[in-house]
Amino acid sequence: MRPTKPTKQGKFITGMTLLEVLIALFIFALTGTAIMKAASDHLTGVGQIEDITFATWVANNRLTQLHINKTWPLKNNQKGEQEMAGRKWFWQQRVSKTNDNDMVQVLVSVGLDQQYRGSVTSASTFIAKQTTK
């Protein structure tokens, strides 16, 4: 800001030039754009975390069902679906042998695609053959 002509009382009137106003508006516009981008990125991240959380719950539900079920041997490459949070989730289990013949490793992959082209998350556990006494 620069002073202009003195008034009758001898005081100077100060004000902003048009260039200074335009520069200030430009700075505010850049700041607003950066804030909106950060907020958008945050909301996208929250959506991804939500998807991973629900997919993990679906995988854990399937692994719990396998622990409760007494069927042996477990079927490899079994597929299924479960509805959670208003969406249909598709799971696929893979069974791998271990060094112990009475134990297998189960990996459950969960995604939103029925063709299983991509998974949101996966969870694994070891399941032992249940013996009856």
PDB file of all heavy atoms in Angstrom, residues 1-30:
ATOM      1  N   MET A   1       0.848  -1.177   0.000  1.00  0.00           N
ATOM      2  CA  MET A   1       0.000   0.000   0.000  1.00  0.00           C
ATOM      3  C   MET A   1       0.890   1.236   0.000  1.00  0.00           C
ATOM      4  O   MET A   1       1.908   1.256   0.674  1.00  0.00           O
ATOM      5  CB  MET A   1      -0.889   0.003   1.236  1.00  0.00           C
ATOM      6  CG  MET A   1      -1.929  -1.108   1.222  1.00  0.00           C
ATOM      7  SD  MET A   1      -3.131  -0.976   2.520  1.00  0.00           S
ATOM      8  CE  MET A   1      -2.175  -1.351   3.940  1.00  0.00           C
ATOM      9  N   ARG A   2       0.436   2.211  -0.691  1.00  0.00           N
ATOM     10  CA  ARG A   2       1.209   3.451  -0.739  1.00  0.00           C
ATOM     11  C   ARG A   2       0.285   4.623  -0.417  1.00  0.00           C
ATOM     12  O   ARG A   2      -0.909   4.596  -0.736  1.00  0.00           O
ATOM     13  CB  ARG A   2       1.865   3.594  -2.088  1.00  0.00           C
ATOM     14  CG  ARG A   2       0.876   3.676  -3.193  1.00  0.00           C
ATOM     15  CD  ARG A   2       1.533   3.825  -4.524  1.00  0.00           C
ATOM     16  NE  ARG A   2       0.422   3.850  -5.478  1.00  0.00           N
ATOM     17  CZ  ARG A   2       0.561   4.027  -6.744  1.00  0.00           C
ATOM     18  NH1 ARG A   2       1.755   4.177  -7.239  1.00  0.00           N
ATOM     19  NH2 ARG A   2      -0.472   4.043  -7.528  1.00  0.00           N
ATOM     20  N   PRO A   3       0.818   5.593   0.219  1.00  0.00           N
ATOM     21  CA  PRO A   3      -0.017   6.752   0.550  1.00  0.00           C
ATOM     22  C   PRO A   3      -0.366   7.544  -0.706  1.00  0.00           C
ATOM     23  O   PRO A   3       0.393   7.585  -1.667  1.00  0.00           O
ATOM     24  CB  PRO A   3       0.841   7.561   1.514  1.00  0.00           C
ATOM     25  CG  PRO A   3       2.228   7.062   1.341  1.00  0.00           C
ATOM     26  CD  PRO A   3       2.145   5.694   0.732  1.00  0.00           C
ATOM     27  N   THR A   4      -1.524   8.151  -0.662  1.00  0.00           N
ATOM     28  CA  THR A   4      -1.949   9.008  -1.772  1.00  0.00           C
ATOM     29  C   THR A   4      -1.808  10.469  -1.343  1.00  0.00           C
ATOM     30  O   THR A   4      -1.116  10.783  -0.386  1.00  0.00           O
ATOM     31  CB  THR A   4      -3.401   8.698  -2.153  1.00  0.00           C
ATOM     32  OG1 THR A   4      -4.214   8.881  -1.004  1.00  0.00           O
ATOM     33  CG2 THR A   4      -3.527   7.271  -2.663  1.00  0.00           C
ATOM     34  N   LYS A   5      -2.505  11.342  -1.985  1.00  0.00           N
ATOM     35  CA  LYS A   5      -2.421  12.788  -1.692  1.00  0.00           C
ATOM     36  C   LYS A   5      -2.903  13.069  -0.268  1.00  0.00           C
ATOM     37  O   LYS A   5      -3.803  12.403   0.221  1.00  0.00           O
ATOM     38  CB  LYS A   5      -3.305  13.559  -2.655  1.00  0.00           C
ATOM     39  CG  LYS A   5      -2.944  13.410  -4.091  1.00  0.00           C
ATOM     40  CD  LYS A   5      -3.898  14.272  -4.889  1.00  0.00           C
ATOM     41  CE  LYS A   5      -3.968  13.770  -6.305  1.00  0.00           C
ATOM     42  NZ  LYS A   5      -4.964  14.486  -7.063  1.00  0.00           N
ATOM     43  N   PRO A   6      -2.313  14.057   0.367  1.00  0.00           N
ATOM     44  CA  PRO A   6      -2.806  14.443   1.696  1.00  0.00           C
ATOM     45  C   PRO A   6      -4.162  15.131   1.586  1.00  0.00           C
ATOM     46  O   PRO A   6      -4.469  15.788   0.618  1.00  0.00           O
ATOM     47  CB  PRO A   6      -1.744  15.394   2.229  1.00  0.00           C
ATOM     48  CG  PRO A   6      -0.969  15.857   1.055  1.00  0.00           C
ATOM     49  CD  PRO A   6      -1.161  14.830  -0.029  1.00  0.00           C
ATOM     50  N   THR A   7      -4.994  14.927   2.624  1.00  0.00           N
ATOM     51  CA  THR A   7      -6.301  15.579   2.670  1.00  0.00           C
ATOM     52  C   THR A   7      -6.132  16.987   3.227  1.00  0.00           C
ATOM     53  O   THR A   7      -5.028  17.416   3.566  1.00  0.00           O
ATOM     54  CB  THR A   7      -7.272  14.775   3.549  1.00  0.00           C
ATOM     55  OG1 THR A   7      -6.755  14.738   4.862  1.00  0.00           O
ATOM     56  CG2 THR A   7      -7.473  13.374   3.009  1.00  0.00           C
ATOM     57  N   LYS A   8      -7.252  17.691   3.400  1.00  0.00           N
ATOM     58  CA  LYS A   8      -7.205  19.051   3.912  1.00  0.00           C
ATOM     59  C   LYS A   8      -6.678  19.077   5.347  1.00  0.00           C
ATOM     60  O   LYS A   8      -6.107  20.054   5.786  1.00  0.00           O
ATOM     61  CB  LYS A   8      -8.593  19.686   3.853  1.00  0.00           C
ATOM     62  CG  LYS A   8      -9.055  19.941   2.442  1.00  0.00           C
ATOM     63  CD  LYS A   8     -10.422  20.575   2.439  1.00  0.00           C
ATOM     64  CE  LYS A   8     -10.862  20.742   1.003  1.00  0.00           C
ATOM     65  NZ  LYS A   8     -12.206  21.264   0.900  1.00  0.00           N
ATOM     66  N   GLN A   9      -6.918  17.985   6.106  1.00  0.00           N
ATOM     67  CA  GLN A   9      -6.450  17.941   7.477  1.00  0.00           C
ATOM     68  C   GLN A   9      -4.968  17.569   7.547  1.00  0.00           C
ATOM     69  O   GLN A   9      -4.390  17.489   8.618  1.00  0.00           O
ATOM     70  CB  GLN A   9      -7.247  16.910   8.298  1.00  0.00           C
ATOM     71  CG  GLN A   9      -8.687  17.295   8.553  1.00  0.00           C
ATOM     72  CD  GLN A   9      -9.602  16.897   7.406  1.00  0.00           C
ATOM     73  OE1 GLN A   9      -9.211  16.189   6.497  1.00  0.00           O
ATOM     74  NE2 GLN A   9     -10.821  17.427   7.428  1.00  0.00           N
ATOM     75  N   GLY A  10      -4.348  17.262   6.455  1.00  0.00           N
ATOM     76  CA  GLY A  10      -2.934  16.932   6.420  1.00  0.00           C
ATOM     77  C   GLY A  10      -2.651  15.441   6.576  1.00  0.00           C
ATOM     78  O   GLY A  10      -1.507  15.030   6.680  1.00  0.00           O
ATOM     79  N   LYS A  11      -3.688  14.595   6.625  1.00  0.00           N
ATOM     80  CA  LYS A  11      -3.494  13.145   6.743  1.00  0.00           C
ATOM     81  C   LYS A  11      -3.409  12.521   5.364  1.00  0.00           C
ATOM     82  O   LYS A  11      -4.004  13.009   4.411  1.00  0.00           O
ATOM     83  CB  LYS A  11      -4.655  12.512   7.508  1.00  0.00           C
ATOM     84  CG  LYS A  11      -4.800  12.991   8.918  1.00  0.00           C
ATOM     85  CD  LYS A  11      -5.990  12.304   9.571  1.00  0.00           C
ATOM     86  CE  LYS A  11      -6.175  12.794  10.982  1.00  0.00           C
ATOM     87  NZ  LYS A  11      -7.356  12.214  11.592  1.00  0.00           N
ATOM     88  N   PHE A  12      -2.657  11.410   5.304  1.00  0.00           N
ATOM     89  CA  PHE A  12      -2.570  10.674   4.044  1.00  0.00           C
ATOM     90  C   PHE A  12      -3.627   9.580   4.013  1.00  0.00           C
ATOM     91  O   PHE A  12      -3.882   8.930   5.022  1.00  0.00           O
ATOM     92  CB  PHE A  12      -1.183  10.034   3.894  1.00  0.00           C
ATOM     93  CG  PHE A  12      -0.112  11.021   3.527  1.00  0.00           C
ATOM     94  CD1 PHE A  12       0.696  11.566   4.510  1.00  0.00           C
ATOM     95  CD2 PHE A  12       0.081  11.398   2.209  1.00  0.00           C
ATOM     96  CE1 PHE A  12       1.677  12.466   4.182  1.00  0.00           C
ATOM     97  CE2 PHE A  12       1.070  12.289   1.877  1.00  0.00           C
ATOM     98  CZ  PHE A  12       1.867  12.839   2.860  1.00  0.00           C
ATOM     99  N   ILE A  13      -4.256   9.336   2.860  1.00  0.00           N
ATOM    100  CA  ILE A  13      -5.224   8.252   2.674  1.00  0.00           C
ATOM    101  C   ILE A  13      -4.452   7.066   2.083  1.00  0.00           C
ATOM    102  O   ILE A  13      -3.730   7.231   1.107  1.00  0.00           O
ATOM    103  CB  ILE A  13      -6.355   8.668   1.722  1.00  0.00           C
ATOM    104  CG1 ILE A  13      -7.103   9.860   2.301  1.00  0.00           C
ATOM    105  CG2 ILE A  13      -7.293   7.499   1.469  1.00  0.00           C
ATOM    106  CD1 ILE A  13      -8.141  10.420   1.368  1.00  0.00           C
ATOM    107  N   THR A  14      -4.617   5.920   2.711  1.00  0.00           N
ATOM    108  CA  THR A  14      -3.925   4.741   2.211  1.00  0.00           C
ATOM    109  C   THR A  14      -4.952   3.751   1.674  1.00  0.00           C
ATOM    110  O   THR A  14      -6.102   3.727   2.107  1.00  0.00           O
ATOM    111  CB  THR A  14      -3.104   4.067   3.317  1.00  0.00           C
ATOM    112  OG1 THR A  14      -3.978   3.702   4.372  1.00  0.00           O
ATOM    113  CG2 THR A  14      -2.029   4.986   3.842  1.00  0.00           C
ATOM    114  N   GLY A  15      -4.526   2.906   0.770  1.00  0.00           N
ATOM    115  CA  GLY A  15      -5.399   1.900   0.191  1.00  0.00           C
ATOM    116  C   GLY A  15      -4.596   0.902  -0.618  1.00  0.00           C
ATOM    117  O   GLY A  15      -3.389   1.047  -0.802  1.00  0.00           O
ATOM    118  N   MET A  16      -5.272  -0.126  -1.086  1.00  0.00           N
ATOM    119  CA  MET A  16      -4.594  -1.164  -1.861  1.00  0.00           C
ATOM    120  C   MET A  16      -4.800  -0.894  -3.343  1.00  0.00           C
ATOM    121  O   MET A  16      -5.889  -0.510  -3.764  1.00  0.00           O
ATOM    122  CB  MET A  16      -5.146  -2.542  -1.489  1.00  0.00           C
ATOM    123  CG  MET A  16      -4.865  -2.927  -0.055  1.00  0.00           C
ATOM    124  SD  MET A  16      -5.551  -4.530   0.386  1.00  0.00           S
ATOM    125  CE  MET A  16      -4.551  -5.614  -0.578  1.00  0.00           C
ATOM    126  N   THR A  17      -3.773  -1.151  -4.093  1.00  0.00           N
ATOM    127  CA  THR A  17      -3.885  -0.998  -5.537  1.00  0.00           C
ATOM    128  C   THR A  17      -4.593  -2.225  -6.116  1.00  0.00           C
ATOM    129  O   THR A  17      -4.731  -3.263  -5.462  1.00  0.00           O
ATOM    130  CB  THR A  17      -2.503  -0.862  -6.192  1.00  0.00           C
ATOM    131  OG1 THR A  17      -1.794  -2.078  -6.004  1.00  0.00           O
ATOM    132  CG2 THR A  17      -1.723   0.302  -5.601  1.00  0.00           C
ATOM    133  N   LEU A  18      -5.030  -2.106  -7.315  1.00  0.00           N
ATOM    134  CA  LEU A  18      -5.708  -3.208  -7.993  1.00  0.00           C
ATOM    135  C   LEU A  18      -4.784  -4.421  -8.106  1.00  0.00           C
ATOM    136  O   LEU A  18      -5.207  -5.562  -7.918  1.00  0.00           O
ATOM    137  CB  LEU A  18      -6.192  -2.765  -9.380  1.00  0.00           C
ATOM    138  CG  LEU A  18      -6.910  -3.832 -10.203  1.00  0.00           C
ATOM    139  CD1 LEU A  18      -8.151  -4.314  -9.473  1.00  0.00           C
ATOM    140  CD2 LEU A  18      -7.260  -3.294 -11.567  1.00  0.00           C
ATOM    141  N   LEU A  19      -3.532  -4.208  -8.382  1.00  0.00           N
ATOM    142  CA  LEU A  19      -2.561  -5.296  -8.488  1.00  0.00           C
ATOM    143  C   LEU A  19      -2.432  -6.043  -7.157  1.00  0.00           C
ATOM    144  O   LEU A  19      -2.392  -7.271  -7.122  1.00  0.00           O
ATOM    145  CB  LEU A  19      -1.207  -4.765  -8.943  1.00  0.00           C
ATOM    146  CG  LEU A  19      -0.105  -5.808  -9.111  1.00  0.00           C
ATOM    147  CD1 LEU A  19      -0.506  -6.826 -10.174  1.00  0.00           C
ATOM    148  CD2 LEU A  19       1.208  -5.146  -9.473  1.00  0.00           C
ATOM    149  N   GLU A  20      -2.380  -5.319  -6.061  1.00  0.00           N
ATOM    150  CA  GLU A  20      -2.288  -5.955  -4.743  1.00  0.00           C
ATOM    151  C   GLU A  20      -3.535  -6.781  -4.442  1.00  0.00           C
ATOM    152  O   GLU A  20      -3.453  -7.879  -3.893  1.00  0.00           O
ATOM    153  CB  GLU A  20      -2.073  -4.898  -3.655  1.00  0.00           C
ATOM    154  CG  GLU A  20      -0.721  -4.234  -3.716  1.00  0.00           C
ATOM    155  CD  GLU A  20      -0.606  -3.034  -2.801  1.00  0.00           C
ATOM    156  OE1 GLU A  20      -1.629  -2.365  -2.544  1.00  0.00           O
ATOM    157  OE2 GLU A  20       0.517  -2.763  -2.349  1.00  0.00           O
ATOM    158  N   VAL A  21      -4.692  -6.291  -4.810  1.00  0.00           N
ATOM    159  CA  VAL A  21      -5.944  -7.027  -4.604  1.00  0.00           C
ATOM    160  C   VAL A  21      -5.950  -8.300  -5.440  1.00  0.00           C
ATOM    161  O   VAL A  21      -6.321  -9.378  -4.953  1.00  0.00           O
ATOM    162  CB  VAL A  21      -7.162  -6.134  -4.938  1.00  0.00           C
ATOM    163  CG1 VAL A  21      -8.444  -6.955  -4.952  1.00  0.00           C
ATOM    164  CG2 VAL A  21      -7.275  -4.985  -3.958  1.00  0.00           C
ATOM    165  N   LEU A  22      -5.509  -8.227  -6.683  1.00  0.00           N
ATOM    166  CA  LEU A  22      -5.474  -9.410  -7.548  1.00  0.00           C
ATOM    167  C   LEU A  22      -4.492 -10.458  -7.022  1.00  0.00           C
ATOM    168  O   LEU A  22      -4.773 -11.664  -7.049  1.00  0.00           O
ATOM    169  CB  LEU A  22      -5.115  -9.012  -8.975  1.00  0.00           C
ATOM    170  CG  LEU A  22      -6.197  -8.252  -9.743  1.00  0.00           C
ATOM    171  CD1 LEU A  22      -5.675  -7.820 -11.112  1.00  0.00           C
ATOM    172  CD2 LEU A  22      -7.439  -9.104  -9.890  1.00  0.00           C
ATOM    173  N   ILE A  23      -3.359 -10.028  -6.522  1.00  0.00           N
ATOM    174  CA  ILE A  23      -2.381 -10.972  -5.955  1.00  0.00           C
ATOM    175  C   ILE A  23      -2.957 -11.646  -4.721  1.00  0.00           C
ATOM    176  O   ILE A  23      -2.826 -12.859  -4.527  1.00  0.00           O
ATOM    177  CB  ILE A  23      -1.044 -10.251  -5.655  1.00  0.00           C
ATOM    178  CG1 ILE A  23      -0.353  -9.879  -6.969  1.00  0.00           C
ATOM    179  CG2 ILE A  23      -0.137 -11.129  -4.800  1.00  0.00           C
ATOM    180  CD1 ILE A  23       0.875  -9.012  -6.801  1.00  0.00           C
ATOM    181  N   ALA A  24      -3.635 -10.897  -3.876  1.00  0.00           N
ATOM    182  CA  ALA A  24      -4.256 -11.476  -2.677  1.00  0.00           C
ATOM    183  C   ALA A  24      -5.326 -12.498  -3.062  1.00  0.00           C
ATOM    184  O   ALA A  24      -5.407 -13.581  -2.468  1.00  0.00           O
ATOM    185  CB  ALA A  24      -4.853 -10.374  -1.812  1.00  0.00           C
ATOM    186  N   LEU A  25      -6.144 -12.196  -4.056  1.00  0.00           N
ATOM    187  CA  LEU A  25      -7.166 -13.136  -4.518  1.00  0.00           C
ATOM    188  C   LEU A  25      -6.532 -14.399  -5.097  1.00  0.00           C
ATOM    189  O   LEU A  25      -7.025 -15.511  -4.879  1.00  0.00           O
ATOM    190  CB  LEU A  25      -8.069 -12.483  -5.572  1.00  0.00           C
ATOM    191  CG  LEU A  25      -9.096 -11.497  -5.030  1.00  0.00           C
ATOM    192  CD1 LEU A  25      -9.834 -10.810  -6.186  1.00  0.00           C
ATOM    193  CD2 LEU A  25     -10.084 -12.208  -4.130  1.00  0.00           C
ATOM    194  N   PHE A  26      -5.428 -14.244  -5.808  1.00  0.00           N
ATOM    195  CA  PHE A  26      -4.723 -15.398  -6.364  1.00  0.00           C
ATOM    196  C   PHE A  26      -4.202 -16.306  -5.244  1.00  0.00           C
ATOM    197  O   PHE A  26      -4.320 -17.528  -5.313  1.00  0.00           O
ATOM    198  CB  PHE A  26      -3.577 -14.909  -7.254  1.00  0.00           C
ATOM    199  CG  PHE A  26      -2.755 -16.016  -7.827  1.00  0.00           C
ATOM    200  CD1 PHE A  26      -3.254 -16.813  -8.845  1.00  0.00           C
ATOM    201  CD2 PHE A  26      -1.480 -16.276  -7.348  1.00  0.00           C
ATOM    202  CE1 PHE A  26      -2.496 -17.842  -9.380  1.00  0.00           C
ATOM    203  CE2 PHE A  26      -0.709 -17.294  -7.870  1.00  0.00           C
ATOM    204  CZ  PHE A  26      -1.221 -18.085  -8.887  1.00  0.00           C
ATOM    205  N   ILE A  27      -3.642 -15.714  -4.219  1.00  0.00           N
ATOM    206  CA  ILE A  27      -3.127 -16.497  -3.083  1.00  0.00           C
ATOM    207  C   ILE A  27      -4.268 -17.244  -2.392  1.00  0.00           C
ATOM    208  O   ILE A  27      -4.145 -18.425  -2.061  1.00  0.00           O
ATOM    209  CB  ILE A  27      -2.364 -15.584  -2.104  1.00  0.00           C
ATOM    210  CG1 ILE A  27      -1.066 -15.102  -2.757  1.00  0.00           C
ATOM    211  CG2 ILE A  27      -2.071 -16.308  -0.784  1.00  0.00           C
ATOM    212  CD1 ILE A  27      -0.344 -14.019  -1.987  1.00  0.00           C
ATOM    213  N   PHE A  28      -5.388 -16.574  -2.173  1.00  0.00           N
ATOM    214  CA  PHE A  28      -6.529 -17.239  -1.550  1.00  0.00           C
ATOM    215  C   PHE A  28      -7.078 -18.366  -2.426  1.00  0.00           C
ATOM    216  O   PHE A  28      -7.490 -19.413  -1.929  1.00  0.00           O
ATOM    217  CB  PHE A  28      -7.651 -16.232  -1.232  1.00  0.00           C
ATOM    218  CG  PHE A  28      -7.376 -15.389  -0.027  1.00  0.00           C
ATOM    219  CD1 PHE A  28      -7.429 -14.014  -0.108  1.00  0.00           C
ATOM    220  CD2 PHE A  28      -7.051 -15.971   1.191  1.00  0.00           C
ATOM    221  CE1 PHE A  28      -7.179 -13.227   1.001  1.00  0.00           C
ATOM    222  CE2 PHE A  28      -6.796 -15.192   2.306  1.00  0.00           C
ATOM    223  CZ  PHE A  28      -6.855 -13.812   2.207  1.00  0.00           C
ATOM    224  N   ALA A  29      -7.087 -18.171  -3.737  1.00  0.00           N
ATOM    225  CA  ALA A  29      -7.567 -19.214  -4.646  1.00  0.00           C
ATOM    226  C   ALA A  29      -6.664 -20.432  -4.592  1.00  0.00           C
ATOM    227  O   ALA A  29      -7.142 -21.577  -4.558  1.00  0.00           O
ATOM    228  CB  ALA A  29      -7.660 -18.669  -6.063  1.00  0.00           C
ATOM    229  N   LEU A  30      -5.358 -20.231  -4.583  1.00  0.00           N
ATOM    230  CA  LEU A  30      -4.425 -21.361  -4.478  1.00  0.00           C
ATOM    231  C   LEU A  30      -4.593 -22.100  -3.153  1.00  0.00           C
ATOM    232  O   LEU A  30      -4.590 -23.332  -3.113  1.00  0.00           O
ATOM    233  CB  LEU A  30      -2.980 -20.869  -4.618  1.00  0.00           C
ATOM    234  CG  LEU A  30      -2.494 -20.553  -6.021  1.00  0.00           C
ATOM    235  CD1 LEU A  30      -1.051 -20.065  -5.983  1.00  0.00           C
ATOM    236  CD2 LEU A  30      -2.610 -21.767  -6.909  1.00  0.00           C
TER     237      LEU A  30
END
